[in-house]
Amino acid sequence: MQNQAICAGSFDPPTIGHLNIIGRGLKIFDKLIVAVAINTSKDPIFTPQERVEMLEEIFKDQENVEIDAFEGLLVNYAKKRGTNTILRGLRNLGDYEYESQMALVNKTLDSDIEILYMMTEGKYAHLSSSIIKEVITFGGSGCGMIHPMVAGRLKEKLLKESK
Ligand code: ADP
C-alpha cells in the first residue's frame, strides 16, 4: 500500500501557507490527498467545486497530489479512502487549541486514526484564508500570500460582490 496521508481543510481559498505544508508533506509521504471540506460552518466564499478547481490547477503537474472533496466526518472519509493518516498545519496557540480538541474528538471517533502536525515555516505563520480575503477586499494584491491564479479568482469574487 502507498504511504499516503490526507491533508484536509476548508481551503477557502488555499494560501501559500497551505501549499507549503502540502509541499513539505510530499517529502514524507508518497502521495497526499488534499481534501476540501464541504460542510464547514465557516460560510465559505468559494463553492467546494471552485476550491477543488483552484487546487487542481495549482497541483496540475504533481502526480502524487490528488484533489478531492468530502462531506461529513473526516474519520469516515479517511476510512473510505483507505488511509488512517491525516496531515495538518500548525501556526500558533490558537491552532493548537483548536487542533488538539479536534484530534481528541477524531481519536475518540476512530482510535485507528493518526493526525500528524507540521509546524508552519515562520514566514507563513501570519497567513490565513480569512486575512487574505480582507487584504483583497481592501485593495491589496495578495502577492506572496496566495497563488496569482487564486488572487485573480478572489478579486473577481470579492470585488464583483461588493459592486
Ligand atoms: P480548517 O477549516 O479545517 O481549519 P483551513 O483551510 O483553515 O481548514 O486549514 C487547513 C489546515 O491548514 C489546518 O491544519 C491549518 O492549521 C493549516 N494552515 C492554514 N494556514 C496555514 C499556514 N499559513 N501555515 C501552516 N498551516 C496552515
Side-chain angles (χ1 to χ4, degrees):
M1 200 185 98
Q2 253 186 336
N3 166 33
Q4 65 176 20
I6 295 173
C7 231
S10 311
F11 304 108
D12 186 49
T15 73
I16 300 286
H18 291 127
L19 306 187
N20 177 256
I21 295 291
I22 296 165
R24 287 162 60 208
L26 287 171
K27 294 181 186 162
I28 300 167
F29 297 97
D30 298 327
K31 177 183 170 182
L32 286 179
I33 300 168
V34 178
V36 171
I38 295 179
N39 55 345
T40 158
S41 52
K42 287 186 176 172
D43 194 17
I45 179 159
F46 287 103
T47 66
Q49 184 54 36
E50 287 169 328
R51 285 176 270 157
V52 165
E53 277 167 20
M54 287 188 279
L55 287 161
E56 278 177 346
E57 171 68 20
I58 292 167
F59 292 105
K60 62 176 188 279
D61 297 325
Q62 211 110 29
E63 274 177 18
N64 47 358
V65 178
E66 177 189 337
I67 315 298
D68 197 8
F70 74 101
E71 202 159 13
L73 292 174
L74 179 56
V75 290
N76 290 345
Y77 174 71
K79 194 150 257 162
K80 195 177 112 196
R81 294 307 313 260
T83 180
N84 67 343
T85 312
I86 310 291
L87 176 66
R88 301 271 296 173
L90 273 186
R91 284 164 293 191
N92 47 40
L93 268 181
D95 273 358
Y96 175 78
E97 280 185 22
Y98 174 75
E99 294 292 340
S100 56
Q101 184 184 22
M102 285 309 295
L104 294 176
V105 168
N106 282 324
K107 199 75 182 157
T108 306
L109 289 167
D110 181 353
S111 58
D112 287 336
I113 208 86
E114 294 300 346
I115 309 175
L116 304 181
Y117 294 94
M118 192 175 260
M119 198 65 212
T120 185
E121 282 185 43
K123 58 189 172 195
Y124 304 121
H126 59 298
L127 295 182
S128 67
S129 300
S130 47
I131 202 83
I132 279 158
K133 283 179 242 182
E134 280 192 49
V135 166
I136 299 293
T137 301
F138 295 115
S141 73
C143 180
M145 300 186 215
I146 42 178
H147 187 285
M149 172 271 303
V150 173
R153 296 193 63 161
L154 199 49
K155 279 177 196 162
E156 215 172 85
K157 187 140 294 228
L158 287 169
L159 304 180
K160 194 161 78 190
E161 276 178 9
S162 66
K163 270 182 198 163

